[in-house]
Amino acid sequence: MSLTELLPLTDVTACCAPLTREAISAENAEKLAKTLKAIADPARLRLISMVAAHEDAEACVCDLTEPLGLGQPTVSHHLKILVDAGIFTRDKRGTWAYYRLVPGALDSVAQHLVTV
Amino acid sequence: MSLTELLPLTDVTACCAPLTREAISAENAEKLAKTLKAIADPARLRLISMVAAHEDAEACVCDLTEPLGLGQPTVSHHLKILVDAGIFTRDKRGTWAYYRLVPGALDSVAQHLVTV
């Protein structure tokens, strides 16, 4: 696993106050919107759900194409968006790359949205 | 206030299990992606933050254009997207329409994303 594969490009785990409790800055709004856009897609939400539910909470593209009903290039494209957004890590082992959730990444997004 | 203004078109408050805990159905993934898309915009995130922070937690477009630094048609467009997505209610009183957060709408989105 290379260092770049361990470090997401966007640090979505750097947590902020809920946006309904504290005025969100223009800069933080840009960052949060970028992360939300990455997950605001039905196929990518299902990928997140599938990877989390998979054995050892990781999966390769080979595990995901059939249940998702999409071709490998399309699935790889969605996976890349999730890696670039700091939601998934990518670990190349042998023939396949394995994807898993970055701990805390989705919780950080949720933390911005809670109001209570 | 008319009945249609009280009922959001998308019932985002109908809560589901976190998507990392239970496989999300294709139908629920579509719904959640639609709501996420509505909030996945820097101006709309700032609008949510501003309306929540405003006196009585409601605001009209007249309160929002200046702090946001955008024209009234643009702000109205963003507000409409948030109303259509069930994030804001719209209450026309006199000259202006007043917007406020639908209770539980953002919390329901957050609930889908938490992993712990």
Side-chain angles (χ1 to χ4, degrees), chain A residues 19 24 37 40 45 49 107 115, chain B residues 19 24 37 40 45 49 107 115:
Chain A
L19 68 132
I24 193 168
K37 266 176 203 161
L45 288 171
S49 195
D107 295 295
T115 63
Chain B
L19 69 133
I24 193 168
K37 266 176 202 160
L45 289 171
S49 196
D107 295 295
T115 64

Side-chain angles (χ1 to χ4, degrees), chain A residues 14 25 34 72 101:
Chain A
S25 68
K34 208 172 156 183
Q72 194 180 306
L101 270 171

